[in-house]
Amino acid sequence: MNRRRFLQLMVAGPMIVSAPLQIPLALASDNTPAATLLRASEMLTGRQGLDASVADRLCQLLSKQNSRFPGQLARLMAHLQSAGETDRQRLVDSLDDDDINTALAIISPWYLGYTGHPSTTKATDDAEFVTFLSALMYEPTRDVTLRPSYARAGSDYWAEVPQGVNAPPMPVGIRQWGENAPAAAKTIPAPDAPWLLMVQGKARTLAEANALLAAEKK
């Protein structure tokens, strides 16, 4: 799927096309990059009242990752305003490839909550946290599911057997275990060499990692 088609699908959701395409009047006179990004975000996502503090952080992160972003943002906003389109599908069609890339760089973090590309095989990557509670990907199911978090039912909620689950009794004194749980590790063991190579991104599979280690021993 190309990037233009992906953007079209993103702006075609029922929660988006139902909202009017307009520029927030309260911010129309503010030409700072963060305010411009907020206006572009609301036009592209179809949501009014997006968090200005999130927009400010997003603008800072995108500008840090790409020094040309402020200029690309200004260009995109100029095209959005001059297109004269109220239909988002036609609006996307009117954008060139550079504007499409800029629009995706803006919209994706609003939905995912981060910029960049997180990696599961490297110790470091270019991903940056933007927001958790305001991530728009949780909106479609907000009427039936809670936004996931680390403690959905208060402190130590895990010590109680969930309602409707048949399970053996919990060990005596489980609430007092804390860091002294019977199975708690007292020290962190050194990582296995093959695993470390994969985490560092030097090998993609266990076979590759073992081959590299064997070559180093020769």
Side-chain angles (χ1 to χ4, degrees):
M1 182 184 299
N2 62 39
R3 297 172 71 83
R4 182 180 298 275
R5 179 57 180 159
F6 182 67
L7 181 59
Q8 288 173 333
L9 291 175
M10 289 184 71
V11 303
M15 293 185 64
I16 294 178
V17 297
S18 62
L21 179 59
Q22 59 185 5
I23 300 173
L25 296 178
L27 297 172
S29 61
D30 189 344
N31 293 319
T32 62
T36 300
L37 183 142
L38 181 58
R39 291 200 297 272
S41 299
E42 294 191 341
M43 292 177 71
L44 291 168
T45 63
R47 290 169 169 81
Q48 300 301 309
L50 292 177
D51 192 328
S53 63
V54 174
D56 183 64
R57 174 170 173 77
L58 177 56
C59 188
Q60 292 180 39
L61 290 174
L62 291 176
S63 298
K64 182 179 75 171
Q65 293 177 352
N66 177 11
S67 61
R68 298 169 54 202
F69 176 74
Q72 294 168 342
L73 171 62
R75 181 178 186 272
L76 170 64
M77 192 63 195
H79 289 175
L80 289 175
Q81 291 175 312
S82 64
E85 286 289 351
T86 57
D87 180 272
R88 285 187 174 76
Q89 291 293 320
R90 291 198 296 269
L91 179 64
V92 172
D93 289 339
S94 72
L95 301 177
D96 62 23
D97 290 344
D98 289 338
D99 286 335
I100 291 292
N101 290 336
T102 304
L104 283 173
I106 293 170
I107 290 180
S108 294
W110 278 108
Y111 281 90
L112 301 176
Y114 60 83
T115 62
H117 306 85
S119 173
T120 59
T121 60
K122 296 182 180 179
T124 59
D125 52 44
D126 66 348
E128 296 266 15
F129 174 77
V130 177
T131 181
F132 178 72
L133 292 179
S134 297
L136 299 180
M137 65 178 172
Y138 301 121
E139 290 297 323
T141 59
R142 71 182 186 278
D143 58 331
V144 292
T145 60
L146 298 173
R147 292 175 188 263
S149 64
Y150 290 102
R152 302 185 66 169
S155 177
D156 290 338
Y157 76 99
W158 47 267
E160 300 295 340
V161 177
Q163 184 176 1
V165 174
N166 295 321
M170 291 291 181
V172 176
I174 187 173
R175 289 186 179 277
Q176 286 72 47
W177 282 2
E179 295 180 356
N180 298 315
K186 301 301 183 182
T187 59
I188 300 177
D192 292 334
W195 178 87
L196 186 59
L197 288 175
M198 289 189 288
V199 170
Q200 293 172 337
K202 297 178 180 179
R204 292 177 297 177
T205 65
L206 180 60
E208 286 185 11
N210 286 328
L212 287 174
L213 292 171
E216 291 176 358
K217 293 179 181 179
K218 292 181 179 179

